[in-house]
Amino acid sequence: SKDKWNGNIGAAIQDSKLEGDLILRNETIRKRFTNPVFTGRVRYSMSSARSMDLSYNTNISEPSMTQLSPVPDNSNPLNIFVGNPNLKPQYSQRLNLNFRDFNQLKFTNFFVTAGLNFTDDKITNKVIYDEVTLAQTRTPINYGNDVSVNGNINYGFRVRAINTRFSLNS
């Protein structure tokens, strides 16, 4: 912290071990995923009622045992699920920018948020349709990279004549 600035950073290692027995196949699935995760935030306070934040964080989403198990689940013959033992965890990074302004005298607020999300090795389902039986087989795969952008703008104000408050959002 210094003057109007405040920030923090962090790093860690996420280590996950998955182990499961495939009883019908007399096999064991063993997976270990070790990945770094990071976090950081910087805040600039222009006043007690106005500030801007920039934050960054990462996270890992490991596949579940169901997603890894290659044993077909055909309990519904029209919707078969087969796991993928070669799945990698998906690694997500998020960058967010937030601006806040609140006027106590006029009882107004103005907020802006924007975010960028990037996911590497995104886990999604590949679906194969059998045109003869009309059955579908779903298998989890690492799709590749996924990028999304989001944002929101909010303006709130008081209307004294009817003693209420309105808020407009994008």
Side-chain angles (χ1 to χ4, degrees), residues 103-120:
N103 185 321
Q104 292 175 321
L105 298 176
K106 295 181 181 178
F107 209 59
T108 61
N109 66 274
F110 180 65
F111 304 125
V112 177
T113 62
L116 173 66
N117 301 307
F118 177 80
T119 303
D120 191 30

Side-chain angles (χ1 to χ4, degrees), residues 4-160:
K4 297 182 177 195
W5 293 90
N6 181 301
N8 60 55
I9 58 172
I13 297 292
Q14 181 174 321
D15 186 45
S16 301
K17 296 177 189 176
L18 296 174
E19 186 173 315
D21 294 323
L22 303 175
I23 297 170
L24 297 175
R25 289 182 142 187
N26 199 23
E27 292 179 33
T28 299
I29 293 178
R30 286 186 181 91
K31 291 283 184 174
R32 183 173 185 168
F33 304 108
T34 304
N35 294 286
V37 289
F38 305 98
T39 184
R41 184 186 63 81
V42 174
R43 171 177 282 174
Y44 176 65
S45 298
M46 296 155 236
S47 69
S48 63
R50 181 182 290 171
S51 66
M52 187 168 11
D53 291 339
L54 179 66
S55 64
Y56 171 80
N57 63 39
T58 63
N59 78 307
I60 305 295
S61 297
E62 295 91 358
S64 68
M65 287 306 293
T66 302
Q67 290 174 314
L68 292 169
S69 174
V71 178
D73 175 359
N74 56 3
S75 55
N76 178 350
L78 293 177
N79 189 15
I80 300 167
F81 182 85
V82 180
N84 177 357
N86 298 316
L87 275 180
K88 298 182 274 185
Q90 65 182 28
Y91 185 76
S92 300
Q93 302 177 70
R94 284 181 299 283
L95 183 65
N96 292 305
L97 179 65
N98 298 305
F99 174 78
R100 292 175 216 76
D101 185 23
F102 180 70
N103 185 321
Q104 292 175 321
L105 298 176
K106 295 181 181 178
F107 209 59
T108 61
N109 66 274
F110 180 65
F111 304 125
V112 177
T113 62
L116 173 66
N117 301 307
F118 177 80
T119 303
D120 191 30
D121 291 323
K122 175 84 172 176
I123 296 175
T124 190
N125 285 327
K126 173 181 161 184
V127 180
I128 298 172
Y129 293 97
D130 184 322
E131 293 181 15
V132 176
T133 65
L134 300 177
Q136 68 177 0
T137 302
R138 294 178 300 118
T139 303
I141 61 168
N142 291 108
Y143 175 74
N145 299 332
D146 181 61
V147 177
S148 65
V149 177
N150 60 59
N152 183 44
I153 298 174
N154 174 281
Y155 177 68
F157 57 95
R158 180 171 58 178
V159 179
R160 287 184 190 262

Side-chain angles (χ1 to χ4, degrees), residues 158-165:
R158 180 171 58 178
V159 179
R160 287 184 190 262
I162 57 175
N163 196 25
T164 192
R165 186 164 155 62

